[in-house]
Amino acid sequence: MTVAVVTWNINSVRLRLPMVLDFIQQYQPDVLMLQEIKCTNDQFPTNAFTEAGYPHQAVHGQKGYHGVAIVSKFPLTDISSRVFCEIPESRHVSAVLDLGRGPLTVHNFYIPAGGDEPDPEINPKFKHKLGFLSELTSWFSEPEFQRGHLIAGDFNIAPHENDVWSHKQLLKVVSHTPIETEALNAILNGGHGWTDLVRKHVPFDQKLYSWWSYRSADWENANKGRRLDHIWATADIAEHCIAAEIAKPYRGWADKPSDHVPVIVRFAGV
DNA sequence: ATGGCCGCTGATAGCGGA
């Protein structure tokens, strides 16, 4: 038996509920981390997920924008959320669950997109993004992150050259500027060390994306994507990860897809 | 070559996304 964990920026969970339920049918994930639910806690489709087999839910929404949620087949305890940069937006929720190897803390992040101009002096959104990364760096250096942790979400950064359609053309575009990619890679490689579970299974010389802009008239042929969505784990968890997949077909789901697709990792042996 | 789009709101124009 394997356990599957998914991250997906759903861009309105209410509008996209039929697509999520279709995905659940197809992939049978155990834990689903959703970003940009774009609803308040009481607007979240609790009953639909419960009926689909996911009665355990940690929802941290807000009106209109942002918002994150974890829905799970397994009980969630110690549900918590954290505010970054003293800006009261719903960008993080965490919970503890047991997938058979003892307590696992899972964190769901929605890192700020950062606006257009990659200069913190003139763009407060970019300043927020860098501040968020700085606070993550400090937090992850704490001893609890030595083991038993999985972090996932829309990080809004494509860290490697082959995580974007054109490294050269995106070096000055927010999501792939050196200041962002270096900060994210420093978090990955610093602290107690994380494993990028998707790149554990897909070689770095292979182009890989999880997001395609709505503005591209023909996203599939243009294929100007970026890998913005990530799942990392501490070494003790990562060693049991046996597969990773990006479910690209959901970018073309019906007439109303999200601009992000699900990222799935599987763990062996419960 | 990023933006031609998208979802939300005491909506009907403006914000945020990336």
Side-chain angles (χ1 to χ4, degrees):
Chain A
M1 173 178 176
T2 64
V3 169
V5 178
V6 172
T7 184
W8 195 0
N9 179 320
I10 198 64
N11 188 16
S12 174
V13 70
R14 289 175 293 172
L15 193 64
R16 237 68 80 178
L17 183 62
M19 180 174 63
V20 182
L21 295 176
D22 176 272
F23 173 77
I24 284 171
Q25 281 273 337
Q26 298 292 326
Y27 281 82
Q28 301 287 320
D30 296 281
V31 181
L32 202 48
M33 319 263 239
L34 300 174
Q35 302 87 36
E36 284 205 88
I37 61 174
K38 292 190 172 177
C39 66
T40 57
N41 288 2
D42 61 338
Q43 292 172 322
F44 190 78
T46 301
N47 293 339
F49 281 109
T50 298
E51 288 166 13
Y54 302 80
H56 307 288
Q57 305 171 8
V59 182
H60 185 42
Q62 74 179 72
K63 190 171 74 175
Y65 301 111
H66 318 310
V68 288
I70 304 170
V71 302
S72 171
K73 288 184 176 177
F74 304 113
L76 302 174
T77 59
D78 299 300
I79 292 166
S80 170
S81 63
R82 183 175 172 123
V83 168
F84 290 82
C85 307
E86 298 179 339
I87 295 175
E89 296 174 334
S90 298
R91 294 183 174 278
H92 167 259
V93 66
S94 65
V96 176
L97 63 157
D98 193 337
L99 299 180
R101 299 182 186 280
L104 172 69
T105 305
V106 296
H107 292 269
N108 181 4
F109 289 102
Y110 177 45
I111 295 179
D116 285 323
E117 193 62 47
D119 181 349
E121 301 299 319
I122 60 171
N123 175 6
K125 294 178 189 175
F126 197 69
K127 183 179 179 183
H128 182 201
K129 187 176 198 175
L130 297 183
F132 199 109
L133 292 167
S134 175
E135 290 186 17
L136 280 179
T137 304
S138 304
W139 192 24
F140 291 157
S141 71
E142 293 178 7
E144 64 168 308
F145 289 99
Q146 285 174 2
R147 56 178 287 107
H149 279 72
L150 179 146
I151 65 177
D154 178 359
F155 292 4
N156 271 316
I157 298 172
H160 306 291
E161 289 193 18
N162 288 325
D163 292 339
V164 293
W165 63 276
S166 169
H167 174 61
K168 283 185 179 176
Q169 290 181 77
L170 289 173
L171 275 171
K172 292 181 179 177
V173 174
V174 171
S175 73
H176 195 63
T177 65
I179 190 169
E180 297 167 78
T181 58
E182 287 167 12
L184 192 66
N185 284 326
I187 293 172
L188 178 70
N189 299 314
H192 308 293
W194 294 96
T195 299
D196 175 342
L197 296 180
V198 172
R199 282 299 186 190
K200 179 187 174 190
H201 296 283
V202 181
F204 281 98
D205 62 2
Q206 186 176 326
K207 292 271 187 194
L208 196 60
Y209 316 133
S210 64
W211 172 88
W212 293 261
S213 173
Y214 281 129
R215 299 190 192 208
S216 179
D218 185 354
W219 72 274
E220 193 161 19
N221 285 318
N223 200 25
K224 293 181 175 177
R226 307 177 199 169
R227 189 172 73 104
L228 304 177
D229 304 277
H230 302 275
I231 305 179
W232 296 357
T234 50
D236 58 309
I237 305 300
E239 69 173 318
H240 301 293
C241 181
I242 52 166
E245 179 183 355
I246 296 184
K248 185 176 179 179
Y250 282 87
R251 183 60 180 80
W253 194 84
D255 330 316
K256 291 274 183 182
S258 172
D259 44 357
H260 297 251
V261 299
V263 178
I264 305 129
V265 295
R266 293 186 189 278
F267 298 93
V270 174

